[in-house]
Amino acid sequence: MSTPGGVQEALLQALGAQMQAQRAGNLTLGRGTLGGRNIRIAMVENRFASGAVGTLEAEPLAALLKVATQEKSAVVIFLDSAGAKVSEGLKALGAFRTLYQAGLQATLAGVSMATVLGRNCYGGASMLAHLAPERLFSPNTQLAMSGPAILAAGAGLSALDEMFRAMAEVTLAPASRARSTTANTVWSPAMDVAAWLKTALAPRGDATTAWRFRHEALGARFEKGIPETPWEAVRRKDLEKIYMSCEARESQGLLEGRGRRPEGDEAFIGLVGKQPLGAARAWKFAERAWQHADRPPERMEVFLDCASHAPRLDDEKVVLTEYIVDMAFALASLASKGTRVGLTILGQAGGGVYVALAAPVGRVASVYGADIQVLPGAAVAAILGAAGESTANFEAYRAAGVADEEIKLGFVPGTT
């Protein structure tokens, strides 16, 4: 919960906010004004454990973003959230896919957006925060793809380990995030929030140009540079069944190539392998997508077999969220140029990695036997104290909105 009298109250006062009396779970909507300009407001507050954005919150928030896109109104979102409601499982993941799609479309359409952050901003909430070009942090905000409990579990430590907690707090602290980019500002009681909002909500011009600039800046954030790794030609049985013919190569879990379907040739890129996604590989994936955006193909397929993002402090030091959001920006930009982009889940998928790749595309297909989860079981256990859900079938995926069609590549039990 946010501290009463802090950045949340300062924000509401600056906008002269009139909030709706009725809430949708953790979400409250409202309106305000700034310099005679109408502002739509969304307040996401962490009233319950296991995340603040589920099906109840995602639908009206997505609707607000769609209306803002149509009427070109500005949007301010206050976020105090541990992310998607893990307790809702696949339904939360599907709802977040729809919500993030609306957010990407809003920014592409030139909607002015600013985000103000409360105490918690983890996972999907941190991805929402980075739809806006600027963010205002509370003095005690912690922003990351993984919260401290998941980071500790990923390091094989207890969340109560004092040394690890100290390291995590320094890494995720507002001062650290403000050093990473001038787009992050830390609120103080003496601050003129209205002045900050006027700057944050100022027109930015073409969204894809701004996104591309952010991508290049992210590449320069690595102190030792992004390591180059050799590419190797690969043959994958799944790709050979999807395509009539194909050529593929792989470099440490990054896949790319071209394949032929009956309707014609298409380019493809993908994330595969057992290793969770870190910042460097996410940047390389986005780089390949941005290169395609320079000369947009008619069709491009994205392949995914990567269970989740990496719960590592080293990746959080460079703000892993920005690299995952960068992948979504690149694919959304490509789609906006007329490329028919699709996603096929070859194996495992979930969390922010899934959302970043699924939200910008027109169709998500899952290969028979694919494993889609809101988060890996270990991460869910770290949050809820219980293991995650077992692998669901396609009907459950379709009902939850995480996959639109199923691909059966070979012999399937019960079929002929």
Side-chain angles (χ1 to χ4, degrees):
M1 295 287 292
S2 303
T3 302
V7 66
Q8 183 176 4
E9 183 174 319
L11 170 66
L12 295 176
Q13 290 178 350
L15 293 174
Q18 296 181 343
M19 307 304 294
Q20 296 177 2
Q22 186 175 1
R23 296 170 174 169
N26 294 304
L27 174 69
T28 309
L29 302 179
R31 292 175 178 268
T33 58
L34 184 70
R37 186 182 185 186
N38 291 326
I39 309 292
R40 289 189 173 271
I41 306 169
M43 310 288 291
V44 180
E45 300 171 85
N46 211 34
R47 297 189 181 92
F48 308 102
S50 83
V53 182
T55 55
L56 189 61
E57 294 83 8
E59 183 176 349
L61 184 51
L64 178 146
L65 292 169
K66 291 176 181 178
V67 169
T69 301
Q70 293 173 350
E71 64 184 22
K72 296 293 190 273
S73 56
V75 176
V76 175
I77 304 177
F78 175 81
L79 291 165
D80 183 6
S81 167
K85 284 184 180 176
V86 176
S87 57
E88 290 187 1
L90 289 174
K91 291 182 179 180
L93 190 64
F96 212 94
R97 171 195 174 190
T98 301
L99 168 58
Y100 212 70
Q101 185 177 61
L104 291 171
Q105 291 302 315
T107 56
L108 269 173
V111 171
S112 297
M113 193 180 309
T115 51
V116 180
L117 312 181
R119 174 67 177 85
N120 300 305
C121 193
Y122 302 133
S126 71
M127 293 175 65
L128 286 174
H130 284 87
L131 287 172
E134 295 196 31
R135 290 154 295 283
L136 181 61
F137 285 61
S138 300
N140 61 350
T141 298
Q142 288 193 331
L143 180 146
M145 277 304 300
S146 300
I150 295 177
L151 290 171
L157 299 171
S158 166
L160 301 178
D161 185 285
E162 292 186 3
M163 182 174 294
F164 183 85
R165 286 178 61 187
M167 292 172 58
E169 287 178 2
V170 170
T171 299
L172 310 186
S176 174
R177 295 328 194 194
R179 285 193 296 269
S180 69
T181 172
T182 57
N184 295 336
T185 302
V186 184
W187 175 82
S188 69
M191 182 179 181
D192 185 344
V193 174
W196 178 85
L197 284 168
K198 288 179 181 178
T199 300
L201 294 173
R204 302 282 169 159
D206 180 65
T208 57
T209 301
W211 289 350
R212 187 66 179 268
F213 179 81
R214 288 166 73 171
H215 168 74
E216 299 299 336
L218 290 176
R221 193 173 288 180
F222 294 90
E223 293 181 359
K224 298 180 180 179
I226 299 176
E228 291 291 335
T229 54
W231 290 87
E232 296 183 359
V234 295
R235 293 188 62 182
R236 293 180 59 104
K237 292 182 179 180
D238 44 15
L239 295 185
E240 290 176 350
K241 291 180 178 180
I242 290 171
Y243 292 114
M244 299 164 58
S245 63
C246 71
E247 294 182 356
R249 64 177 188 166
E250 184 180 340
S251 174
Q252 292 193 341
L254 186 64
L255 181 72
E256 73 170 5
R258 294 194 66 84
R260 174 169 295 178
R261 299 184 193 256
E263 58 269 28
D265 292 349
E266 68 182 20
F268 61 79
I269 56 177
L271 295 171
V272 296
K274 301 299 182 183
Q275 294 299 316
L277 182 69
R281 184 154 58 116
W283 189 90
K284 289 181 179 180
F285 176 94
E287 174 72 2
R288 312 314 288 188
W290 280 118
Q291 289 176 0
H292 281 291
D294 291 334
R295 300 181 63 181
E298 182 180 349
R299 291 182 298 274
M300 192 179 79
E301 193 70 12
V302 179
F303 292 107
L304 178 59
D305 182 8
C306 179
S308 188
H309 61 271
R312 295 189 297 253
L313 274 182
D314 284 346
D315 287 291
E316 291 299 350
K317 287 177 181 178
V318 293
V319 196
L320 177 58
T321 299
E322 293 202 58
Y323 295 85
I324 291 177
V325 170
D326 184 31
M327 299 192 302
F329 284 166
L331 292 178
S333 177
L334 188 60
S336 73
K337 295 176 182 294
T339 299
R340 287 181 288 174
V341 186
L343 171 64
T344 297
I345 299 170
L346 299 174
Q348 293 185 306
V353 179
Y354 163 86
V355 171
L357 303 189
V361 307
R363 179 265 304 147
V364 176
S366 61
V367 169
Y368 176 84
D371 182 8
I372 309 174
Q373 295 191 20
V374 63
L375 282 175
V380 175
I383 298 171
L384 301 179
E389 59 198 359
S390 59
T391 304
N393 57 32
F394 173 69
E395 290 306 318
Y397 296 153
R398 180 161 56 186
V402 298
D404 307 310
E405 65 180 63
E406 185 177 45
I407 301 175
K408 297 179 180 178
L409 299 180
F411 174 76
V412 178
T415 67
T416 58

